[in-house]
Amino acid sequence: MLSLLAPLAVGAALSTRGFVVLTNLTEEGAAADWGAVALGLPERVFPGRLLSSGSNTLHAVHEENAKVSDQYASQCHESPEGCEAWSSNFTTAGAPLLPHTDGYVYGDHMPDVIFLVAEAPAERGGENFVVDGEAVLVRLEADAATAPLVGAAQTARVDLTERVSSGGIATGREAFGPIFRRRSDGGVWWRRQLQTRAYESGIEQPADGAPSSVRAELQPYQSLWRPAGAVHEAEQTEAMLEAVDAAIQREAGAAERFSLRRGEALLINNYRVLHGREGYTSRGRDGRKVWRVWCWTDRSLGLPEGMAEVGSPFDADALLD
């Protein structure tokens, strides 16, 4: 954990680990406007480096819970195919979140930085965890069975687009390319979108009523990645996709869990780190309150052309126009 009063240390930690927990966001004992606190973080951490003020990117994560069920009901009402694409058990309300990146709706112009600000922690559970892309590559390289596939993970053309029709949450702009790319600064850039059906097998519900959790055992293929290159390369690409997905699951199982206290924020390099969360229980619908800010710094590929930012995949209707 690092104080927001130490910006150089924050930058160094973000470069080294890909994420950092920020403390001292507000004055001790002072009443806080948490929306304003969340909106003010990007400029405080990245002064002069933002391509967006973040004023259009704020979204209360706790408000998405109702939107998920509404979206599912809408898909089922509009078409059987839409309903088929959704997992009947998928919900974010109290359920664990499998490791993923944010902003896939923008294709390659996804935000490079995410802030998750804790206004009110869960009553029980809700621990965060991250999966580092660098660690996934190391895991693949260390295994004799998967080491030959590392090259394909950085060269094979893959369909990285999220589509409702394939089991995704929303349909975003098209994106194609290798899973892992190396940036000019040496950092890794990757992403992961999930089939909603992955939540049927990927979540364990304890019998004693404790919060649900991400299963530690290897589960069936969870990602929406699909081969997009030459037909004769499809078999090797499929094997690579399975290997990367399995490595992510194993990294997620081994990742340290940590909890955000009231007034703390998780800052994530959205190009390098996937983030997830264990299940939780809270009193009332809004018992757990977290604010999310997506932002684009001078390290990103730029703001999405022709549209303002959105704060949630459920606000992405303009992408389909």
Side-chain angles (χ1 to χ4, degrees):
M1 297 184 184
L2 288 172
S3 170
L4 189 58
L5 303 178
L8 292 180
V10 171
L14 195 61
S15 298
T16 302
R17 304 181 64 194
F19 75 100
V20 63
V21 175
L22 303 176
T23 63
N24 298 330
L25 301 186
T26 62
E27 294 183 14
E28 187 173 353
D33 178 342
W34 289 103
V37 169
L39 280 177
L41 281 179
E43 186 59 39
R44 293 172 70 184
V45 177
F46 302 104
R49 294 184 53 194
L50 297 176
L51 304 184
S52 165
S53 67
S55 59
N56 295 322
T57 66
L58 179 68
H59 196 82
V61 177
H62 56 276
E63 294 175 354
E64 279 185 0
N65 295 341
K67 289 191 176 184
V68 175
S69 58
D70 290 346
Q71 181 97 347
Y72 176 66
S74 175
Q75 291 289 343
C76 291
H77 177 73
E78 291 177 5
S79 70
E81 293 79 11
C83 188
E84 286 278 332
W86 281 72
S87 161
S88 59
N89 293 332
F90 179 71
T91 177
T92 60
L97 292 179
L98 303 175
H100 62 283
T101 44
D102 276 6
Y104 55 79
V105 290
Y106 299 113
D108 286 340
H109 291 268
M110 57 199 286
D112 62 309
V113 176
I114 306 168
F115 292 86
L116 297 173
V117 182
E119 174 183 347
E123 180 183 3
R124 297 175 64 192
E127 297 86 359
N128 299 90
F129 65 91
V130 301
V131 173
D132 189 348
E134 299 286 4
V136 172
L137 286 173
V138 169
R139 179 181 285 273
L140 291 170
E141 290 169 344
D143 187 332
T146 58
L149 301 173
V150 172
Q154 300 178 75
T155 58
R157 191 167 185 264
V158 175
D159 185 351
L160 302 166
T161 312
E162 175 135 358
R163 298 180 176 87
V164 170
S165 60
S166 300
I169 296 175
T171 296
R173 291 182 173 175
E174 290 189 344
F176 295 88
I179 293 179
F180 294 96
R181 308 180 196 181
R182 283 291 175 188
R183 297 170 49 83
S184 59
D185 60 7
V188 70
W189 178 27
W190 69 321
R191 73 194 79 185
R192 189 193 195 208
Q193 306 88 258
L194 294 155
Q195 302 175 43
T196 56
R197 289 193 179 95
Y199 285 84
E200 294 180 352
S201 59
I203 292 176
E204 183 173 7
Q205 182 65 59
D208 60 1
S212 52
S213 60
V214 176
R215 290 187 184 275
E217 305 84 4
L218 186 65
Q219 301 301 310
Y221 186 69
Q222 295 180 333
S223 183
L224 289 174
W225 298 321
R226 294 290 182 269
V231 174
H232 69 277
E233 299 173 343
E235 185 174 344
Q236 183 192 39
T237 302
E238 286 278 9
M240 178 272 294
L241 296 178
E242 292 275 357
V244 173
D245 189 78
I248 292 171
Q249 292 187 47
R250 293 188 171 106
E251 283 294 319
E256 177 185 0
R257 267 55 174 173
F258 57 92
S259 298
L260 294 178
R261 294 176 294 191
R262 178 179 173 85
E264 293 183 338
L266 175 59
L267 169 57
I268 301 168
N269 178 344
N270 193 43
Y271 285 175
R272 171 176 169 173
V273 168
L274 310 179
H275 62 284
R277 188 205 67 225
E278 297 291 4
Y280 65 88
T281 58
S282 287
R283 293 187 179 92
R285 178 173 172 178
D286 293 331
R288 176 183 182 271
K289 295 186 178 181
V290 175
W291 297 87
R292 176 180 60 224
V293 183
W294 291 348
C295 59
W296 288 255
T297 75
D298 52 12
R299 291 184 64 255
S300 71
L301 289 186
L303 292 171
E305 183 179 357
M307 65 173 293
E309 306 93 315
V310 298
S312 167
F314 301 104
D315 297 331
D317 291 344
L319 291 167
L320 305 179
D321 293 342

